[in-house]
Structure formats: C-alpha cells, structure tokens
Amino acid sequence: MDAVVTDATQPAIALRGVNKWFKSATGEPLEVLKDVAFEVPPRSILALLGASGCGKSTLLNIISGIVEPSGGSVSFGGVPAAEFTGWDTIGYLFQDDRLLPWRTAIRNVEFALEAGELARAQRRQRARAALRLVGLEEFADAFPYQLSGGMRSRVALARSLVREPRMLLMDEPFSRLDAQTRALLHGEVLRIQNMKHMTIVFVTHDVEEAAVLADQVVVLSPRPGRVREIVDVPCARPRDPTHPAVIAYIQRLRALI
Amino acid sequence: MSEYTDDRSLPRAARAFRLNLLLQRFALVAAILAVWWAAALTAPHYVLPGPGRVWEALRLIAGNNDLWANLGITFARVSAGFAFAALVGLPLGILFGANRRFGVFFEPVIPAMNTISSAIWAIFAIIWFGISNATTIFVVFMTAMPLIITNVWQGTRTVNADFIELARTLRMPQARIMTKIYLPTILPHFFSGARLAFGFGWRVSLVAETLGSSSGVGYRLRQAADLIQTDQVFAWTLALVVMMATIEMGMLRPLENYLFRWKKEAGNA
C-alpha cells in the first residue's frame, strides 16, 4: 500500500531544524518554534514537556501533518513527510474526548474508520475489538451522555486505536480527568503500547506524567519554543511516582522547566 | 438504549403522576363540554350550537366523505408547500451559515419576509396563480421558508470546531465532514424549524383557501359560514384541532424523541 517503504532501523519520527512562524493579530510574524530537533526511536514513548506558550501543541500538529512547518524537516522511518503516505498509521488523541454526542460509543469508534473505504460490517467488527481492548465492550450502545468522564476517555482512546496506528500522538491526554482516573488510563495506554508495539509522542505540562510514562523527555523552553534539554528516563515499568529513582527524575525535570 | 426509556423502569411515583395527568385531561375536556353545553342553551343554534348539534354535523360531513376529501386536499397542499420550503430552506440556511458574506448580505430579507402577513401573500397568490392549488401552496411556502432558513442558519452556528478538527486529523474528505458532522448538528434545529413551519403552514393554508380556492377545509369553512351552518363551522374546526393534535403527538413528537434520543435530558441524567 505504502508507495514509499519506511525503514524500521530509522527513527520512527525525526525532526530536524523545525521552525514555525504565525502571523500575529498586528500582522507581524510571531516565532513559535525555533530550530527544534529530536528523534523518536521505534516503539518508544517520548514526552514533549513545557509550560504553556512553548508551542508544544503546535509541534504535535506539525508531526501529525495538520500544520505545515515554516522551515526544517519531519520524517517517518526515514521517509520525508512530503513523500510519506502512511498517515492512517498515525493515531491522534485530543485533550478532551470529542465524542460526537449523537453517536453511540461504538459508532464513535467507527467514525475513525469512516474516512477510509472499509465496509460497514468490517468497521463494526474492528470498532468492537477496539472497545474490547479498552474494556468497554458492554457499553458499545451507550450514548456519550450516559458514560462517565473516564469511560468517555476510553472511547476516545479506542477511536484513536481502531485504525491500528503504529504511532500515537497525544495532546495533554486525560488532563481533564481526576488524578485517579488519569493514573488508571496511563496504565491502560502503557499496557496497549506494550501489546501493540506503538511509538507514542505526547504533550504535557505535568512533570510527573512525563516521568511516569516516557522513555525520553524533550524539555521545551518558551517564546519561541526551543529544545532546552532531552532527558532519558531509563527506570523500569510500571513506575511508581513515589519511588526514589522516579522522584529524582521528577525533580530534575522540574528544575529544567 | 431501551432500558433507559422503557415504561417498566419508571419508578412507581412517575407512573402515578402520569395517571393523575390523564385524569386531569379528562376533567378539563368534561368541564369545557359542560360550559359549552350550558352556554348553548341560552343562544340560538345558528350563533352557538351545542355539543350535540356539532357532533351530528361532524357525523354528517364524515359520513358523506366531505370531511375526508377536504382534509386530504388541504393536507396535500400544506405538505407540498412545506416540502418546497424545506427543500429551499435547508440548503439556503446552510449556505448563509457557511458563507459569512452571503449571510450578512441577505440577513435583512428574513425579518422583512416575516412581517408580511399571510393574507397579503394570499392576495398576491390569487393575482399570480388565480383560484388553484398553487395559491395555497405558495402561501404555505412563503410562510414556512423563512422559519426553516432562520433555524438552519442558527444551527450552522452551533457546529463544533473541535469536531471538524477531529475529522481533519482523520483526513476525512470535506463532503463527508458535511454529512457526518454538519448535518447531524443542524438536524435538531431544522426539525424544530420544520415543526414550527408545519404548524404555521396549516393556519395560513386556511386563510389562503378561504380567499382563493374552491376546495379544501378553508373553502368549506367559509361556505358553511356563508350558509349560516354554524354547527358545520364548529365541526370543521374540531376536526382540524383533532387532526393537528394527532399529527403533533402521534407523529412529530415520537419522531423527535427517537431522532434526538442522544440528547441528555434533565430527567435521565
């Protein structure tokens, strides 16, 4: 299917010298990102950590292809973004669940398959499998208003997984949930990542979240957004945020941000 | 989800409330009939016929097919006018909503059209179409269309930009975004506009038929009034009220409840 074959030995995602200017309200160009470069090894988890205004969401949108960079390059498995055809192998999870209120849980999951040409029965089958993966199969026919916040996030997760992505991009995932539900969903994402061997890039302003989930943390500094430092977090999983080794990383990251 | 709407799952108190409400409705109808009956005793029957006389008149027009034929004619005209209004109003409403410049330019037309009385449309219709079906259809159309446009237009303003962004990340084509996000968002607005328009359509159709038709309920109402068959005027009115209530409660409300069952209601949160 892919016109250009990606190379598994290359980084799953690589950014080189990425710049981004926006036109501000006064018409003057505003520099949002400056010379951003990092690599994401296949099957690893990378966190983009920074305070608000450091352009981390813009960076994620550049990776997902919704926003064009003003300069620099993005490549996937060694293939430049311009020649890359496997956009359906990239899943995207928003900050909020964005479930369509007029669709049941399973129909919301199917929505992600409706951009393609899959037959209805196959869509249904794959959506059911994705719901099973997040433990919500029995709520397939519930409407969003009938579900709790955590369940809604699981449906959104199932929707971003139903296309079997090799890469998952998450924009401050689950940040609107309470701490407990959030920790539960973090565990869920790690379990699924381990099972499906996905590469994950996520944006966060939460130091603890970065330390608990990521193999590598790219710390960004604001105005314009630049890479301040890239920190490897080699701790074993599952990580307990009260474990001394994890606490040491949390403190180190907090000092950088 | 049937378990959320099933009557059996209603608590006992809710069922008792419904029964109570039903009894109240019966009491109301009985009270109106009683007052009517008593008032009719004091007036000549060509001014205020009693319930019994009206019932006889209703049986008469129902028996010789007069009732069904004319209700059918009026219903067909209202439906045709309404269908044209929906056909024109839905795309125009979406267009006005999607294109700002277009919307701003045409905005004053809608309130201007709303201020024109249906009697004026009826007179224009007679000038243009004479005594024909088209006259009634035109009046219904001119009344219903602005209502549908206004509602659909407002509906387009409620489309959630986040859902559009979601569809974009999935690389969904624009045409599918229209049918899968715009349309479901607009539908409830369209529906409430259509309901309003249908009700208005019925009322103005009678005006149109009274002035410019030789058949239909409006025509028969005027004829009965001209012949001082006051009992038949009452009978036609009653038939209309029953029909409208049946359409509203028997068709539109259940349809709306089904279509928009995904909406969170205060009762089942």
Side-chain angles (χ1 to χ4, degrees), chain B residues 59-140:
Chain B
R59 279 184 49 178
L60 179 76
I61 56 173
N64 63 16
N65 212 30
D66 195 7
L67 176 70
W68 310 115
N70 285 297
L71 271 182
I73 288 167
T74 305
F75 183 76
R77 287 172 182 156
V78 173
S79 301
F82 170 77
F84 282 129
L87 235 54
V88 173
L90 183 62
L92 275 185
I94 294 177
L95 189 68
F96 289 175
N99 189 328
R100 254 190 92 75
R101 214 178 289 177
F102 228 74
V104 170
F105 186 74
F106 281 104
E107 199 161 20
V109 176
I110 306 289
M113 276 178 82
N114 279 332
T115 58
I116 298 175
S117 156
S118 50
I120 296 174
W121 289 126
I123 288 165
F124 275 119
I126 292 165
I127 295 169
W128 293 333
F129 305 111
I131 308 289
S132 71
N133 286 333
T135 298
T136 310
I137 293 173
F138 175 76
V139 176
V140 173

Side-chain angles (χ1 to χ4, degrees), chain A:
Chain A
M1 183 72 186
D2 285 6
V4 184
V5 181
T6 54
D7 185 347
T9 62
Q10 296 276 329
I13 304 165
L15 274 73
R16 277 184 199 93
V18 168
N19 294 311
K20 182 69 193 175
W21 290 280
F22 280 127
K23 211 175 235 173
S24 69
T26 55
E28 276 171 47
L30 185 75
E31 192 169 29
V32 183
L33 292 170
K34 185 178 181 161
D35 203 23
V36 175
F38 58 83
E39 291 181 348
V40 192
R43 302 178 181 188
S44 72
I45 303 179
L46 180 134
L48 297 169
L49 177 69
S52 55
C54 69
K56 53 193 191 298
S57 289
T58 306
L59 198 51
L60 202 67
N61 286 335
I62 286 175
I63 298 172
S64 74
I66 322 177
V67 173
E68 287 280 321
S70 308
S73 72
V74 181
S75 61
F76 302 95
V79 178
E83 291 159 39
F84 184 66
T85 51
W87 295 106
D88 59 338
T89 64
I90 301 181
Y92 199 105
L93 189 65
F94 290 97
Q95 192 170 5
D96 43 1
D97 50 65
R98 300 198 184 180
L99 299 184
L100 306 177
W102 57 84
R103 285 179 172 229
T104 56
I106 192 159
R107 296 265 300 125
N108 262 292
V109 177
E110 281 176 41
F111 185 75
L113 297 171
E114 287 172 21
E117 302 301 330
L118 218 56
R120 196 186 170 79
Q122 277 176 299
R123 291 205 301 258
R124 176 65 33 131
Q125 195 187 346
R126 285 180 60 175
R128 199 169 287 284
L131 278 179
R132 197 180 307 132
L133 192 65
V134 298
L136 270 187
E137 200 185 3
E138 54 193 299
F139 291 94
D141 296 320
F143 284 101
Y145 81 85
Q146 296 168 317
L147 300 173
S148 69
M151 288 159 112
R152 293 171 58 115
S153 291
R154 280 170 196 266
V155 177
L157 183 61
R159 181 180 58 197
S160 59
L161 294 172
V162 71
R163 299 209 282 193
E164 307 247 310
R166 276 179 285 166
M167 288 169 263
L168 181 62
L169 310 178
M170 309 194 289
D171 186 1
E172 305 207 11
F174 323 125
S175 60
R176 301 207 178 151
L177 298 178
D178 60 272
Q180 248 175 328
T181 314
R182 213 169 145 197
L184 217 62
L185 279 155
H186 284 159
E188 201 81 328
V189 167
L190 288 175
R191 177 179 68 84
I192 294 165
Q193 191 261 348
N194 196 29
M195 194 161 96
K196 302 274 181 187
H197 308 298
M198 290 182 298
T199 306
I200 295 182
V201 176
F202 73 100
V203 157
T204 186
H205 58 256
D206 181 342
V207 174
E208 193 178 298
E209 181 172 59
V212 167
L213 287 181
D215 296 308
Q216 227 184 121
V217 181
V218 175
V219 183
L220 297 163
S221 57
R223 278 175 283 273
R226 286 150 296 169
V227 176
R228 176 147 190 189
E229 197 166 325
I230 298 177
V231 180
D232 286 315
V233 185
C235 304
R237 290 198 174 91
R239 294 175 187 161
D240 179 354
T242 57
H243 190 278
V246 179
I247 288 176
Y249 278 104
I250 292 174
Q251 281 168 346
R252 187 171 156 202
L253 290 170
R254 193 156 281 153
L256 286 169
I257 199 171

